[in-house]
Amino acid sequence: MIIPLKEKAGLIQFYEKSVKLLKDNPNTPEYRDWLKREFFSSEKVAYNPLKPFIWFLAKIDPKYRPYIKTNFTPEKMDEFLELVEDFRSSRHFRSFFEEYNRAIHEFNYIPKPFDTLTQEEIKALAEAENTPEEQDRAQRLNDFIEAQDNQPGPTEGTSPSSGAMSFPHSPPAPGGGGVNYPTNPEPPATGNGTAATNKGASNLSETTASSRTGFQPRSYTVSEESPLRGFQPRNYNLSSRAGFKVPGVAKDLGSNTKIGFLKLRARAPGFIGGFLNNLGSGGLGALGGGGQIFSKVGAGGVGGRLGGLGGSLTSNPKSKLAIYFLVGLFFFLALFMTFFQGGEATPVSEEPPPTNKDLTIVKEAQLEVPNPPDPNSKISYKITITYIGLGTANIEITDQVPENTTSVDIQDGGVEELDGTTKTITWTLTSMETNKPKTVHFTVQPTKPDIWVQNIAKAKITNGPSTRGAEDLLPTPLPPPPPNWAGIKRTILDAIDKNPVSVGAYKYASEITGVPWELLAGLHYVETGGSLSSNSSLVSGRPIGNVEPDIPISACARGVNGPGIPIPIGGGCGFGTFQDSAIYSANHLSGKINHVPVNFEDAVTALSRYNGGGNSNCGRGTPYSKCPPEFSGEDDPYSMAFFDDQHANMFLIYCRDGVKCSPPQPFQRPGSMAVVRALNER
Amino acid sequence: MIQKKYFFYLAVPIFFLIIFILLIVIPAFIPKASPPTASPLPSVSKNFEGGGNPVPMEQIPTISSKQGGGVDLNSQIVKDSATEISKLSTSLPFEQELVLSTGQKVSIIIPSSQYQTNPWTLTAQIFGINYQTSSDQADYEQAKTSFLEASQKIFEWIRSHGANPDKIIISWGDKQYIQQNAETWLKSK
């Protein structure tokens, strides 16, 4: 399925709104007002950003395709909301952002950021796309992309060549990975200069670029990017879709690609297709397309023979009956084993496994350059790295200077190191934000004529635990909010917005510890009773620099300091800075469950334990009704008060540490998870 | 003749299939032995003898605030604690859920080294106990007994890894009242 250029461009322009559309709480009047104003008002008729949004949904999940042609008039706002809600709760939710990132890559050649494009420029791009040549190119590329999607994905940790392209009539590529040229000794007259190979490693991405000397210089650049993901076949189909950037070489690429595509796609259905065709047609299938074609690649022949056997069997009516009987018996057997033998059906996980491999890397270079000593024989590489995970990441890119070349220009802070005879260039990119690509460049000079120069860039995340976002910590779908949620949320967000310094410290602590910063905000909100200040600790809300009674004297020593380490203060321990209290708290929060909270249950349990757990409401003679708790901490007001309508009536058992309330007092402040929810719905 | 052959080819697998199904059906209707009535979680006895007596916070040598304050890292107690904890570090984390004789379900977590505050203090947490209780409250004895039983499990685990719990400085939680009640209960056994 091709997303028209215009719609991609439109989505990029309206990305922020689309994010808000997907992430804010749709059950609030504010959301509906905003939606009406931004998307359904009569002034927005000229260019409705809903259309590109829906194109993207349809690209991610075909079930949304029928909506492409839907004209979402103001009367259909509720229908649209249902669609959004459905997508929010689907396992493809995250893919939206990946698809967006892919679209960004496709537009890299445009000389200005997309969010600065005017409507006229977008229109011009769209018109350019409508030429027959471009449409033909797009169709052929799309065919290829879908063929890649249809290939079975490799399992985790092994992806020898699945992420790469196959060009059957191209020369062998030197070295492993990257473009695979299996048969033809001659290089394509024009072809791809760049390809990305996914190595399947936990957080390492590679991309390869090949260039050749000895030809007339051309400036063609082709780029295939294959985002680095944890490989699960289901997930792979989405994330391996190559995004092409083909300013000039498209036609030549297309002809090669098409052949490769046909051959690749033929394999998978060959055996099964041949067998089924033949079985179904009583032997005629032995001459059918599937078996005949695939016998050439070695698999269809077997399919055809089996199909022929099946066909001869089915030609006898009695045998046919017997086969039906046998098939029925097998079904019966399977059902019986499932229901009566205690055999539980294995649940099929719908969610892709959590990953921290959220990198895409694209490398580009000229395809051909003249032979040295021509001064134009330099090969300039451009590496584009994009972090598509949550939070921020420090990323290290390394690139070994290819054989038979010497580096002549290293830009963007790259550092060249000599290890034996190999030279490696390293770039360190810190605090990369999601979906904000960065590029680095370097240039090499070939030292020999008529050579292929292959070059591999690698990238990895270096900042330890990947930072998760608040959305991972909330249940899906979100339960209805408590009464007056709009007011509660406003109070929470106002308090946080007034303390940008605190937010900066939460985020800093989050980068170091991996604990989502929203959770630290929630924790701090509870400890300070909503009076957030960067002068009050996350441990107890006491002023920074004061003794923290909850930190034992064994926790600090003279001369022992560092991020998150308490220091001796007076007769006890405390913190020198607000940041240290945030880091200390984040580590201790994780220590309550021995890992960084990664989901709703983790977060709630850890927060309750952080607060001592003594105020859990169930079995304590309170009117709180949602008992027993679904999991540890779910009945603790410090974690859950005002998170949703079922936690709007919680009670304090101990009015102070060790001092019991008699009777239990209504807990009137939002708990930490309500803060997380408010931040996520912003 | 050919038809008979076909029937023979079909009859044989069908016969075996029926036998196979019967083999599966019959056991399904045989009543299984009733499951054990005991809790699936392990339980511990009420005998606290042989438990541990970790170093109470009040006995930890400190240096005066004029000299910088905090723990005296040169003291033998702190050094011994660090030595004993180092024997455990490769075995961390320790996580266990227990149902105690009091009926209380608790979770023990001694987190891995990255979540420990420092090398000479072992954070060992027992969740599920009301540490905020006091001696005038009805659940005090239950909380105390529960803690002592669960802490015994921790001491056993420490010993099983070649370390001496009596030489270790243990932080029982992140609240002052948790540490105070824990140490009070340990003294009273």
Side-chain angles (χ1 to χ4, degrees):
Chain A
M1 176 179 173
I2 303 168
I3 301 178
L5 179 65
K6 186 172 64 176
E7 310 305 350
K8 289 175 192 166
L11 186 84
I12 290 166
Q13 283 223 307
F14 294 99
Y15 178 64
E16 292 298 327
K17 286 178 185 170
S18 298
V19 171
K20 186 174 168 65
L21 193 66
L22 285 172
K23 289 194 167 181
D24 277 16
N25 181 4
N27 299 318
T28 60
E30 291 92 341
Y31 182 91
R32 291 182 69 88
D33 288 346
W34 172 81
L35 191 69
K36 197 172 178 180
R37 196 172 56 247
E38 292 293 337
F39 296 95
F40 289 96
S41 67
S42 55
E43 297 84 48
K44 302 291 177 185
V45 171
Y47 190 85
N48 190 345
L50 282 181
K51 200 175 171 191
F53 175 76
I54 292 168
W55 268 100
F56 265 66
L57 298 198
K59 173 82 173 173
I60 293 161
D61 189 341
K63 79 174 183 180
Y64 297 111
R65 286 187 187 184
Y67 291 102
I68 289 172
K69 291 183 179 173
T70 303
N71 185 18
F72 280 104
T73 56
E75 300 77 48
K76 292 189 176 175
M77 196 170 95
D78 285 333
E79 188 185 341
F80 177 73
L81 272 172
E82 284 175 21
L83 182 151
V84 171
E85 193 56 37
D86 183 66
F87 184 71
R88 279 174 190 252
S89 58
S90 85
R91 65 191 171 90
H92 297 309
F93 179 69
R94 189 189 166 97
S95 302
F96 178 88
F97 305 100
E98 292 170 4
E99 204 62 49
Y100 164 78
N101 182 63
R102 207 162 282 129
I104 285 278
H105 276 305
E106 291 184 50
F107 294 120
N108 268 351
Y109 63 92
I110 294 173
K112 58 193 287 193
F114 245 76
D115 54 4
T116 62
L117 284 178
T118 64
Q119 292 289 345
E120 288 71 30
E121 287 168 320
I122 292 173
K123 193 178 168 191
L125 286 168
E127 283 171 357
E129 190 185 39
N130 286 333
T131 61
E133 293 81 12
E134 287 300 294
Q135 285 185 343
D136 181 52
R137 170 190 69 83
Q139 185 59 53
R140 281 185 285 114
L141 285 178
N142 188 66
D143 287 348
F144 177 79
I145 291 166
E146 289 193 349
Q148 292 292 303
D149 287 351
N150 290 334
Q151 296 303 308
T155 53
E156 190 159 3
T158 57
S159 59
S161 63
S162 305
M165 297 166 66
S166 178
F167 297 97
H169 297 281
S170 307
V179 184
N180 181 22
Y181 303 101
T183 56
N184 196 320
E186 285 301 315
T190 57
N192 70 320
T194 308
T197 290
N198 196 324
K199 299 295 281 185
S202 64
N203 60 356
L204 183 68
S205 182
E206 281 191 9
T207 184
T208 308
S210 297
S211 298
R212 185 176 182 177
T213 60
F215 289 78
Q216 287 302 307
R218 297 176 189 177
S219 59
Y220 294 155
T221 303
V222 179
S223 151
E224 179 198 4
E225 64 102 352
S226 186
L228 183 68
R229 307 288 307 159
F231 275 123
Q232 282 282 329
R234 231 188 336 267
N235 199 24
Y236 179 75
N237 283 342
L238 279 172
S239 59
S240 67
R241 200 168 295 142
F244 285 84
K245 183 170 50 168
V246 200
V249 75
K251 288 172 195 168
D252 299 311
L253 172 69
S255 60
N256 282 335
T257 304
K258 199 170 182 180
I259 297 165
F261 151 53
L262 277 174
K263 198 166 181 181
L264 280 170
R265 192 166 65 173
R267 262 178 216 166
F271 180 84
I272 299 168
F275 177 65
L276 290 181
N277 282 342
N278 295 336
L279 185 67
S281 59
L284 289 175
L287 301 173
Q292 197 170 42
I293 289 173
F294 303 122
S295 63
K296 290 179 184 172
V297 292
V302 180
R305 283 195 293 278
L306 285 176
L309 174 63
S312 63
L313 277 176
T314 52
S315 62
N316 184 325
K318 283 184 181 175
S319 302
K320 201 180 246 180
L321 195 69
I323 287 171
Y324 289 146
F325 177 71
L326 276 174
V327 170
L329 214 57
F330 272 115
F331 274 114
F332 174 76
L333 189 66
L335 279 173
F336 193 85
M337 287 178 76
T338 303
F339 290 107
F340 292 100
Q341 193 58 21
E344 294 177 8
T346 307
V348 178
S349 170
E350 285 298 317
E351 293 294 332
T355 71
N356 66 343
K357 307 104 183 169
D358 301 318
L359 288 178
T360 66
I361 181 167
V362 177
K363 187 164 187 175
E364 299 162 44
Q366 303 98 307
L367 180 70
E368 296 153 11
V369 296
N371 271 325
D374 187 315
N376 292 321
S377 68
K378 290 173 188 167
I379 304 170
S380 296
Y381 292 104
K382 175 186 172 188
I383 303 166
T384 305
I385 186 90
T386 309
Y387 174 59
I388 57 171
L390 301 168
T392 59
N394 298 335
I395 292 164
E396 183 183 271
I397 306 171
T398 53
D399 198 311
Q400 192 174 309
V401 177
E403 281 182 43
N404 302 317
T405 68
T406 181
S407 57
V408 291
D409 184 22
I410 301 169
Q411 299 174 24
D412 309 303
V415 177
E416 187 178 57
E417 289 178 15
L418 182 67
D419 180 15
T421 56
T422 59
K423 286 181 180 174
T424 302
I425 306 168
T426 303
W427 291 266
T428 304
L429 309 176
T430 55
S431 300
M432 274 196 70
E433 293 179 33
T434 189
N435 282 325
K436 293 193 175 171
K438 287 186 181 175
T439 55
V440 296
H441 303 78
F442 74 105
T443 303
V444 298
Q445 171 85 54
T447 53
K448 287 183 180 177
D450 294 323
I451 54 166
W452 276 95
V453 176
Q454 192 188 36
N455 177 257
I456 299 174
K458 298 177 183 177
K460 63 179 180 182
I461 297 172
T462 58
N463 59 330
S466 65
T467 307
R468 288 179 171 272
E471 64 267 27
D472 290 342
L473 302 176
L474 296 174
T476 305
L478 270 172
N484 192 29
W485 173 239
I488 296 168
K489 188 163 81 171
R490 198 179 313 118
T491 305
I492 293 170
L493 295 179
D494 283 351
I496 289 170
D497 288 344
K498 283 178 189 167
N499 287 276
V501 176
S502 300
V503 173
Y506 305 147
K507 289 182 176 175
Y508 176 72
S510 175
E511 282 184 21
I512 289 177
T513 63
V515 175
W517 73 267
E518 294 90 342
L519 213 47
L520 299 179
L523 197 151
H524 196 206
Y525 193 91
V526 164
E527 291 297 338
T528 59
S531 305
L532 293 175
S533 157
S534 57
N535 191 39
S536 56
S537 87
L538 274 75
V539 170
S540 65
R542 288 181 173 81
I544 297 295
N546 282 20
V547 173
E548 295 281 359
D550 288 330
I551 299 180
I553 187 66
S554 68
C556 60
R558 185 186 61 176
V560 178
N561 48 41
I565 297 177
I567 56 170
I569 292 177
C573 303
F575 296 104
T577 68
F578 178 69
Q579 281 182 349
D580 282 340
S581 87
I583 296 165
Y584 176 92
S585 297
N587 278 329
H588 278 249
L589 188 72
S590 298
K592 301 300 171 194
I593 52 175
N594 195 50
H595 59 262
V596 172
V598 294
N599 55 37
F600 182 59
E601 183 176 335
D602 278 355
V604 172
T605 301
L607 285 166
S608 173
R609 289 175 174 179
Y610 186 90
N611 283 289
N615 280 291
S616 296
N617 276 200
C618 291
R620 311 298 284 275
T622 69
Y624 173 72
S625 59
K626 194 174 179 296
C627 294
E630 286 180 31
F631 47 82
S632 173
E634 196 232 332
D635 58 337
D636 191 324
Y638 282 110
S639 315
M640 289 296 290
F642 298 101
F643 174 74
D644 59 14
D645 60 350
Q646 289 192 301
H647 295 87
N649 190 29
M650 302 191 81
F651 293 85
L652 205 56
I653 311 297
Y654 288 90
C655 290
R656 292 201 310 276
D657 285 351
V659 179
K660 204 167 186 178
C661 309
S662 183
Q665 299 294 304
F667 194 90
Q668 295 176 330
R669 306 191 305 266
S672 298
M673 290 308 292
V675 176
V676 174
R677 179 174 184 161
L679 284 165
N680 192 55
E681 289 180 3
R682 181 193 285 273
Chain B
M1 190 65 186
I2 293 168
Q3 279 188 358
K4 274 184 183 177
K5 247 184 185 176
Y6 271 123
F7 275 121
F8 177 75
Y9 289 147
L10 288 170
V12 171
I14 289 170
F15 172 76
F16 280 110
L17 265 175
I18 290 168
I19 297 290
F20 182 62
I21 291 167
L22 285 175
L23 284 172
I24 292 168
V25 171
I26 291 166
F29 289 98
I30 295 172
K32 290 176 183 170
S34 53
T37 52
S39 160
L41 296 171
S43 60
V44 293
S45 72
K46 268 180 116 176
N47 175 18
F48 305 136
E49 287 178 12
N53 292 296
V55 182
M57 288 292 167
E58 64 199 28
Q59 288 184 16
I60 299 172
T62 57
I63 56 178
S64 70
S65 51
K66 282 183 182 175
Q67 292 176 306
V71 168
D72 181 359
L73 294 178
N74 293 318
S75 70
Q76 197 57 44
I77 288 176
V78 174
K79 285 179 181 173
D80 286 348
S81 180
T83 304
E84 297 304 306
I85 291 171
S86 69
K87 296 173 186 172
L88 305 171
S89 56
T90 56
S91 304
L92 293 174
F94 173 55
E95 297 180 57
Q96 191 166 31
E97 295 209 335
L98 297 168
V99 174
L100 305 169
S101 67
T102 56
Q104 185 70 50
K105 183 183 170 184
V106 298
S107 301
I108 297 174
I109 292 187
I110 306 179
S112 47
S113 299
Q114 71 182 105
Y115 301 124
Q116 296 287 344
T117 307
N118 55 46
W120 59 88
T121 309
L122 183 71
T123 298
Q125 306 163 110
I126 304 167
F127 300 110
I129 291 171
N130 179 17
Y131 293 96
Q132 298 218 50
T133 188
S134 50
S135 55
D136 58 343
Q137 290 178 22
D139 64 347
Y140 182 79
E141 282 303 321
Q142 189 210 24
K144 176 182 168 183
T145 306
S146 297
F147 173 81
L148 291 174
E149 279 189 26
S151 63
Q152 188 186 27
K153 201 75 186 172
I154 291 175
F155 299 139
E156 284 170 7
W157 179 82
I158 292 173
R159 284 202 179 87
S160 72
H161 288 83
N164 182 354
D166 295 349
K167 290 186 173 180
I168 293 178
I169 300 168
I170 295 182
S171 169
W172 295 101
D174 282 333
K175 296 287 179 188
Q176 190 177 27
Y177 58 80
I178 295 178
Q179 191 70 23
Q180 286 174 346
N181 262 339
E183 291 187 352
T184 302
W185 291 335
L186 282 168
K187 276 182 200 166
S188 70
K189 64 179 183 182

